[in-house]
């Protein structure tokens, strides 16, 4: 489009003006870059470009839990839509993000569309330890890591694809708000860079459970020269430290290289349980027989604090993934209260308050009559959680009066199930042929380090699930 509202000036003068403008714009860009590079605004609520200030990502109060821990969410295969119809989405409280989006380069406009929400788990950094070789194809695919996780290579390709498709990370706390009655509502409209699509990316079970040590994931997060990196000690004593083994440092670097992939510096939502500590540190209460002392626990707590701070300073934010990672539908009210209080006592003091609760396994309790909030849900609501996340391939987010007027959202899983089963459905806008993530090509991104050929994996998955 060409707009022709020009002054009638002589050609020479025009050229001069253009040159001068170019110089001024160049200087502004340089100054903005320098100042943003120098900016370390810890915990600030400030959002550059953004009128709305929000508290802390964590707002609510306590949290929750569940039973023993086993695996992770699961992707049952087919999209498990949580139930409702789409609703307007919107943000809310905004947390703090340090890295400013390059101001001035992206024009903010009112965004009124959906906010996509993807999730995965900790990455498989050492595939040779994660995927079995000496078993049937079906057993290979049934392997927890095959289903729940993706590899470093696959994650990087997915980031590139999301960026290519115009997505830009946004903090989930930014897309909803609490109305005058204390009820959480998706924002009907919020400021967002023109031409970009908001995306929330969450990562479940960032705990590095003891039971998973030596099976392909890192052991823990650490600080290396002030930056969040990873530490892993292999069985033969070899130690691997670096920035290329887990989603956090990989995404940090990706955003450094592509600042317009992050709105107001937002990175991802880190979802943690509490029964086995967090981020690879055994911060949980000492129980008889676990071989730990109070001093051990204190040491771990002190060790993890600067890492949490560094994460928050660089745009990461936290959500509760329950205390014990149990199936909510099987919980009694008392059990839920117990778990919620443990998370509140042990984890919240470390990560800060959060209003976001991510159901383990995507499992949540339905209202028996479509109106009355289930008792176990009420327990969570009483702890201040307002935004609940489940699992489902199709987009869904809505305030649910039957759950006590909280928001329920489905998140699409980017995991092994998506790779072998969602190829066609994952990427369509519901009821249309419009692609949601046109550049994601699971077959192409599939990592051969999974130790089973792609087509064989698809066939084995179908056999396993009886599809
Ligand atoms: Zn989980």
């Amino acid at each position: 489009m060409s707009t022709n509202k020009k002054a009638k000036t002589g050609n020479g003068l025009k050229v001069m003006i253009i040159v001068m403008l170019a110089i001024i714009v160049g200087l502004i860009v340089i100054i903005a870059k320098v100042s943003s590079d120098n900016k370390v605004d810890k915990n600030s609520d400030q959002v550059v470009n953004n009128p709305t200030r929000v508290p802390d990502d964590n707002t609510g109060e306590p949290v929750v839990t569940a039973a023993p821990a086993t695996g992770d969410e699961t992707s049952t295969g087919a999209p498990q839509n949580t139930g409702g119809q789409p609703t307007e989405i919107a943000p809310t409280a905004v947390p703090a993000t340090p890295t400013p989006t390059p101001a001035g380069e992206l024009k903010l406009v009112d965004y009124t569309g959906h906010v996509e929400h993807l999730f995965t788990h900790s990455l498989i950094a050492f595939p040779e330890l994660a995927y079995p070789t000496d078993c049937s194809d079906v057993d290979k695919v049934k392997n927890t890591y095959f289903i729940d996780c993706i590899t470093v290579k696959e994650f990087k390709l997915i980031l590139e694809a999301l960026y290519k498709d115009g997505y830009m990370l946004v903090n989930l706390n930014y897309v909803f708000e609490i109305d005058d009655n204390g009820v959480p509502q998706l924002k009907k409209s919020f400021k967002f860079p023109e031409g970009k699509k908001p995306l929330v990316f969450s990562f479940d079970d960032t705990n590095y459970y003891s039971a998973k040590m030596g099976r392909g994931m890192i052991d823990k997060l650490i600080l290396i020269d002030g930056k969040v990196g990873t530490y892993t000690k292999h069985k033969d004593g070899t130690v691997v430290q670096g920035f290329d083994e887990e989603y956090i440092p990989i995404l940090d670097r990706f955003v450094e290289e592509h600042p317009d992939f992050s709105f107001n510096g937002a990175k991802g939502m880190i979802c943690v349980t509490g029964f086995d500590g967090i981020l690879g540190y055994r911060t949980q209460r000492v129980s008889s027989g676990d071989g730990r002392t109070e001093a051990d626990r204190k040491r771990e707590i002190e060790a993890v604090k600067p890492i949490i701070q560094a994460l928050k300073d660089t745009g990461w934010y936290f959500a509760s993934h329950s205390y014990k990672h149990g199936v909510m539908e099987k919980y009694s009210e008392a059990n839920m209260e117990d778990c919620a209080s443990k998370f509140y006592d042990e984890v919240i003091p470390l990560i800060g308050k959060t209003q976001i609760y991510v159901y383990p396994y995507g499992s949540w309790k339905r209202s028996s009559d479509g109106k009355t909030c289930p008792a176990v849900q009420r327990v969570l609501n009483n702890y201040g959680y307002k935004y609940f996340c489940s699992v489902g391939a199709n987009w869904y987010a809505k305030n649910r009066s039957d759950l006590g007027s909280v928001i329920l959202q489905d998140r699409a899983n980017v995991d092994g199930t998506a790779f072998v089963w969602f190829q066609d459905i994952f990427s369509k806008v519901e009821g249309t042929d419009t692609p949601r993530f046109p550049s994601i090509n699971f077959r192409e991104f599939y990592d051969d380090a999974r130790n089973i050929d792609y087509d064989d994996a698809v066939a084995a998955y179908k056999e396993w699930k009886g599809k």
Side-chain angles (χ1 to χ4, degrees):
M1 60 181 169
S2 66
T3 34
N4 285 316
K5 294 184 194 161
K6 316 183 168 151
K8 293 145 188 174
T9 330
N11 279 349
L13 190 50
K14 272 198 219 161
V15 170
M16 257 182 74
I17 291 172
I18 290 167
V19 169
M20 285 176 66
L21 280 175
I23 291 170
I24 290 167
V25 168
L27 280 172
I28 290 172
V29 168
I30 288 166
I31 290 166
K33 285 233 153 99
V34 169
S35 86
S36 77
D37 288 348
N38 292 338
K39 187 164 188 172
V40 183
D41 195 357
K42 291 198 171 188
N43 244 343
S44 78
D45 299 339
Q46 276 194 31
V47 177
V48 179
N49 287 343
N50 197 332
T52 325
R53 289 171 67 94
V54 183
D56 192 84
D57 23 313
N58 314 308
T59 312
E61 307 197 358
V63 176
V64 154
T65 283
T70 334
D72 305 332
E73 292 35 72
T74 306
S75 5
T76 8
Q80 344 164 331
N81 204 327
T82 281
Q85 317 84 338
T87 296
E88 324 88 295
I89 262 242
T92 293
V94 171
T97 328
T99 323
T101 296
E105 293 175 21
L106 299 168
K107 181 184 167 198
L108 295 183
V109 294
D110 291 322
Y111 182 83
T112 56
H114 291 176
V115 176
E116 291 286 357
H117 190 158
L118 299 177
F119 88 96
T120 191
H121 292 91
S122 288
L123 304 181
I124 295 301
F126 311 102
E128 63 281 8
L129 300 176
Y131 303 112
T133 50
D134 51 353
C135 58
S136 71
D137 283 357
V138 170
D139 284 338
K140 284 181 183 176
V141 170
K142 282 166 77 174
N143 179 286
T144 309
Y145 297 127
F146 185 96
I147 286 300
D148 286 342
C149 301
I150 60 177
T151 68
V152 164
K153 179 189 164 191
E154 290 167 347
F155 181 63
K156 288 179 177 176
L157 290 169
I158 283 166
L159 286 185
E160 291 285 355
L162 292 170
Y163 180 67
K164 190 176 169 194
D165 288 343
Y167 284 102
M168 192 176 199
L169 294 173
V170 65
N171 188 307
L172 180 61
N173 292 282
Y174 179 59
V175 309
F176 73 101
E177 61 196 349
I178 308 299
D179 71 15
D180 295 342
N181 299 316
V183 176
Q185 306 286 357
L186 294 164
K187 287 182 187 167
K188 290 188 170 62
S189 162
F190 57 86
K191 294 293 181 192
F192 206 69
E194 187 170 33
K196 291 287 186 180
K197 295 181 279 186
L199 170 73
V200 172
F201 211 143
S202 56
F203 300 87
D204 292 4
D205 299 277
T206 308
N207 294 82
Y208 311 113
Y209 299 127
S210 308
K212 292 187 172 180
M213 293 291 108
R215 295 180 59 199
M217 291 179 183
I218 63 158
D219 290 356
K220 61 181 172 184
L221 299 176
I222 58 170
L223 291 180
I224 304 173
D225 297 332
K227 290 189 167 185
V228 178
T230 73
Y231 173 98
T232 310
K233 187 173 187 178
H234 291 305
K235 277 185 186 146
D236 64 1
T238 318
V239 169
V240 178
Q241 289 189 181
F243 299 99
D244 204 35
E245 291 77 34
E246 181 57 307
Y247 70 87
I248 290 168
I250 290 171
L251 184 53
D252 281 341
R253 194 171 6 157
F254 191 85
V255 170
E256 271 175 33
E257 292 165 359
H258 310 84
D260 58 337
F261 186 57
S262 165
F263 180 56
N264 286 329
K267 300 280 179 53
M269 183 164 90
I270 300 173
C271 312
V272 294
T273 60
F275 72 93
D276 199 17
I278 63 172
L279 312 182
Y281 295 81
R282 305 303 163 220
T283 55
Q284 74 278 18
R285 66 190 54 200
V286 172
S287 28
S288 61
D290 72 1
R292 299 155 61 234
T293 64
E294 281 300 337
D296 293 335
R297 183 187 180 207
K298 275 220 169 78
R299 210 176 305 117
E300 293 286 283
I301 287 174
E302 291 311 311
V304 80
K305 282 180 182 173
I307 296 161
I308 292 167
Q309 191 60 53
L311 289 167
K312 289 184 169 183
D313 288 348
T314 51
W316 296 90
Y317 55 105
F318 290 86
S320 173
H321 192 35
S322 84
Y323 187 79
K324 290 185 188 166
H325 207 284
V327 177
M328 180 166 171
E329 290 170 276
K330 297 182 179 170
Y331 269 63
S332 67
E333 186 176 356
N335 201 350
M336 187 57 95
E337 175 60 39
D338 177 60
C339 288
S341 67
K342 282 179 176 156
F343 193 94
Y344 188 68
D345 292 342
E346 294 178 25
V347 185
I348 292 294
L350 298 174
I351 63 172
K353 291 183 177 180
T354 176
Q355 299 184 96
I356 303 168
Y357 188 90
V358 173
Y359 297 117
Y361 309 100
S363 158
W364 53 282
K365 180 88 173 172
R366 268 80 177 162
S367 168
S368 55
D369 58 6
K371 285 183 283 190
T372 314
C373 180
V376 285
Q377 177 68 42
R378 206 179 329 111
V379 170
L380 297 178
N381 298 356
N382 288 342
Y383 272 86
Y385 297 107
K386 309 236 179 247
Y387 200 109
F388 291 81
C389 299
S390 184
V391 178
N394 294 319
W395 186 88
Y396 174 83
K398 190 180 184 185
N399 180 292
R400 298 275 298 235
S401 57
D402 57 333
L403 297 180
S405 246
V406 295
I407 294 171
L408 176 63
Q409 164 156 56
D410 277 349
R411 304 173 300 155
N413 37 314
V414 179
D415 55 13
T417 301
F419 268 81
V420 297
W421 189 243
F422 288 175
Q423 189 66 55
D424 297 326
I425 55 178
F426 180 71
S427 54
K428 301 279 171 58
V429 173
E430 203 173 355
T432 75
D433 280 332
T434 310
R436 289 157 74 195
F437 307 102
S439 297
I440 290 183
N441 184 325
F442 290 122
R443 175 187 284 270
E444 202 176 281
F445 295 175
Y446 184 83
D447 191 344
D448 291 333
R450 286 175 176 268
N451 274 333
I452 172 172
D453 176 78
Y454 183 81
D455 290 326
D456 293 341
V458 172
Y461 182 85
K462 287 182 183 169
E463 184 182 340
W464 170 32
K465 296 290 182 181
K467 292 177 188 291

